Amino acid sequence: VPRSWNARQNTVVSFTSPKGDETMTLIPNTEIEPVSGLNWPSAAKKRFGIGTNLVDDFEWIIYRSNKVYTFVNNEDINIDVKISTKLGPENMIARLGFYMGSSIENLRPEDTDYTKFAFSNQFEVKNGVGDIIDFVNPQLSKIEPVKSLDNDIITFSFDAGVTNTSLSNTDNIYLCAKAFNASGNLVGEVCEQTAKTKLAPLGGKRYRIDLWPRGFFNVAESTVISRIEYHFTDATGTNRVGYGNTADPFKFTFTCQ
């Protein structure tokens, strides 16, 4: 699940079955999964990853039954699991992960008989706050960490391989950005084709630049940057790419954990 949901504090998992019904218990972070030597959330993430989600801001939370149940080989049984959770406040598109296993195998990598996992179809949260956080669809650009403030080091990335753009035929990619405060007032702007704004090539038509927003925009100590709008340009500054390969800027709103 997305970390911003704080699902560990806001989720109830229960099941009904011919073997019995109960509400399951969250495995604490302090408990070690026997096979990997990691705690259960870390072990699950190592084993199952984040599926086809493209942004790694996910965590696994693991619940288990309070009773021990016995099954025989090839026993056909239906278990209905109900998961109730409170969504986070942000608009979001993601695919959720699900895992079912047993204490016989725990998370042994070779096991495919007792351990099953899957990721959902696209799950969308609407009518929330802020810009859409899209974990699923290939993005021309993203800023990481997704949860960050203006005093954090953040990474702007640009993927020219997603679709053909006016910057597809150059490796000289530059950042052109504006900073706004909570009232929507412009508090800083940098749009120049210099070493300060040039993205580093990563190969495969992917580029990135790491920066400290407060220093990049040279804002006063009392100024708080709440939002950034930005484009990417070529060395002339004439050709630029924005959100959805349009003239509209990419937008990023700072939010804390």
Side-chain angles (χ1 to χ4, degrees):
V1 293
R3 292 183 186 277
S4 63
W5 288 10
N6 196 22
R8 185 177 302 278
Q9 279 72 45
N10 297 304
T11 302
V12 176
V13 181
S14 60
F15 68 85
T16 59
S17 76
K19 299 282 187 178
D21 310 334
E22 64 170 273
T23 298
M24 304 177 77
T25 298
L26 175 69
I27 299 179
N29 278 346
T30 53
E31 184 172 327
I32 300 301
E33 191 275 324
V35 177
S36 66
L38 304 171
N39 65 22
W40 276 91
S42 298
K45 192 168 187 179
K46 180 180 179 180
R47 173 76 190 275
F48 309 127
I50 61 172
T52 56
N53 293 290
L54 301 176
V55 181
D56 186 1
D57 194 38
F58 282 80
E59 64 177 346
W60 284 86
I61 54 175
I62 312 298
Y63 289 76
R64 67 177 164 216
S65 63
N66 300 292
K67 300 177 183 178
V68 176
Y69 298 90
T70 301
F71 298 86
V72 298
N73 285 339
N74 299 316
E75 183 176 2
D76 188 7
I77 183 171
N78 291 322
I79 302 174
D80 293 320
V81 180
K82 179 181 179 181
I83 302 174
S84 300
T85 192
K86 180 180 179 181
L87 304 180
E90 302 98 342
N91 296 301
M92 182 178 294
I93 300 174
R95 289 191 172 100
L96 309 180
F98 300 90
Y99 144 72
M100 177 175 285
S102 77
S103 58
I104 295 176
E105 295 291 343
N106 293 299
L107 289 179
R108 185 171 65 87
E110 299 80 10
D111 172 52
T112 57
D113 295 325
Y114 295 93
T115 302
K116 303 295 181 182
F117 72 97
F119 285 83
S120 71
N121 294 328
Q122 185 169 297
F123 183 91
E124 185 170 1
V125 180
K126 298 181 178 180
N127 300 319
V129 299
D131 309 316
I132 294 177
I133 301 174
D134 191 343
F135 290 92
V136 174
N137 298 299
Q139 301 294 302
L140 278 169
S141 177
K142 61 184 178 182
I143 292 180
E144 295 180 295
V146 174
K147 297 291 186 180
S148 54
L149 297 175
D150 65 346
N151 202 36
D152 296 324
I153 302 296
I154 61 175
T155 297
F156 291 73
S157 62
F158 178 66
D159 189 347
V162 169
T163 188
N164 187 54
T165 75
S166 60
L167 303 180
S168 293
N169 296 321
T170 181
D171 283 327
N172 296 314
I173 309 293
Y174 298 86
L175 176 66
C176 179
K178 297 179 180 180
F180 299 85
N181 63 17
S183 299
N185 298 318
L186 181 68
V187 295
E189 181 174 3
V190 177
C191 192
E192 59 190 50
Q193 288 70 48
T194 65
K196 176 179 179 177
T197 62
K198 188 174 183 180
L199 279 68
L202 303 175
K205 303 300 290 184
R206 294 179 297 113
Y207 309 83
R208 68 178 284 174
I209 183 172
D210 302 324
L211 58 85
W212 175 45
R214 299 191 61 80
F216 183 80
F217 291 105
N218 193 29
V219 296
E221 184 176 351
S222 59
T223 299
V224 176
I225 302 173
S226 296
R227 176 170 54 88
I228 293 176
E229 295 185 359
Y230 63 100
H231 294 83
F232 296 103
T233 78
D234 62 4
T236 69
T238 303
N239 294 311
R240 58 171 50 198
V241 172
Y243 179 76
N245 199 19
T246 69
D248 296 331
F250 298 100
K251 297 179 181 180
F252 179 79
T253 301
F254 289 106
T255 54
C256 61
Q257 296 289 345

